[in-house]
Amino acid sequence: DGGITQSPKYLFRKEGQNVTLSCEQNLNHDAMYWYRQDPGQGLRLIYYSQIVNDFQKGDIAEGYSVSREKKESFPLTVTSAQKNPTAFYLCASSSRAVYGYTFGSGTRLTVV
Amino acid sequence: AQKITQTQPGMFVQEKEAVTLDCTYDTSDQSYGLFWYKQPSSGEMIFLIYQGSYDEQNATEGRYSLNFQKARKSANLVISASQLGDSAMYFCAMRGLIQGAQKLVFGQGTRLTINP
């Protein structure tokens, strides 16, 4: 079945470390997105990519980086510059279809 | 700027009752789409219903319906005959063209609790 796979499900980061969250899709979607969700809050856009080798900053890109070398993959790196990285991270992809958004199951990142 | 407002942080409803979750939006676009998602405690985002800005009829999907009032810029979700499994966070979202790209903007969410 087609879908989005995010890994790992849980991730613990030490202060000063960079960590990378994986997002893979087999839906043949062109666009991919990374959202951050804090407890009891809505989703905020970190980065998005409409095509391979191209991506743009969202509303809260500081302290994060991404790459889009393959259509299927859109990894997110949380750098040491992100001062408050503890959150739930959701990856999504979309097609040109009217409501073609699909979400992964998320990665819960905790700083220890 | 595009914005979604959900004014109900939490709602408590008796099982089998109908419930309305409020959503208002702000956009200057003529073409946009409105979504409702359900997020259970597991964290996954489950698509519930979609309404396009040019759709004249309110969208319905099983027990879910979207009360779309374009002039008032509201897109309330109505759940009929609520069930215990409906307890979750609910998010209203709007897809619009922002800086040349289609993006999904979310509201703050409403936590719905269904009591037996």
Side-chain angles (χ1 to χ4, degrees), chain A residues 3-95:
Chain A
I4 295 184
T5 301
Q6 287 188 244
S7 62
K9 192 172 179 66
Y10 299 95
L11 187 56
F12 297 90
R13 190 194 94 166
K14 293 183 180 179
E15 295 278 356
Q17 271 186 341
N18 292 354
V19 290
T20 297
L21 284 58
S22 172
C23 177
E24 303 276 335
Q25 55 103 355
N26 60 3
L27 299 163
N28 200 34
H29 285 175
D30 289 315
M32 297 187 74
Y33 312 82
W34 273 105
Y35 288 92
R36 169 180 171 142
Q37 185 180 25
D38 293 289
Q41 300 295 313
L43 280 66
R44 293 183 291 169
L45 184 63
I46 304 173
Y47 267 99
Y48 63 100
S49 169
Q50 294 181 278
I51 56 172
V52 175
N53 292 322
D54 187 49
F55 49 83
Q56 286 78 37
K57 294 181 178 180
D59 301 319
I60 55 166
E62 186 175 349
Y64 300 97
S65 66
V66 294
S67 64
R68 187 87 186 275
E69 297 176 1
K70 299 186 300 182
K71 188 175 185 177
E72 302 80 17
S73 179
F74 192 40
L76 173 74
T77 297
V78 185
T79 74
S80 56
Q82 171 50 241
K83 297 307 178 187
N84 186 21
T86 295
F88 187 57
Y89 292 86
L90 280 160
C91 179
S93 68
S94 70
S95 71

Side-chain angles (χ1 to χ4, degrees), chain B residues 19-33:
Chain B
V19 57
T20 298
L21 305 182
D22 295 340
C23 172
T24 57
Y25 61 92
D26 188 20
T27 182
S28 56
D29 291 348
Q30 296 301 308
S31 177
Y32 51 89

Side-chain angles (χ1 to χ4, degrees), chain B residues 44-79:
Chain B
E44 61 189 304
M45 296 291 282
I46 301 170
F47 166 75
L48 296 178
I49 198 165
Y50 169 83
Q51 180 86 37
S53 57
Y54 293 118
D55 295 340
E56 295 186 351
Q57 291 200 333
N58 288 342
T60 60
E61 292 283 352
R63 293 186 300 113
Y64 305 106
S65 61
L66 198 152
N67 184 0
F68 182 47
Q69 298 188 39
K70 194 170 183 177
R72 301 174 73 175
K73 294 189 174 180
S74 76
N76 297 341
L77 176 70
V78 180
I79 305 175

Side-chain angles (χ1 to χ4, degrees), chain A residues 33 35 37 41 48 98, chain B residues 39 50 95 102-104 108:
Chain A
Y33 312 82
Y35 288 92
Q37 185 180 25
Q41 300 295 313
Y48 63 100
V98 169
Chain B
Q39 187 181 43
Y50 169 83
R95 183 194 68 218
Q102 290 287 343
K103 298 183 194 176
L104 209 52
Q108 294 294 299

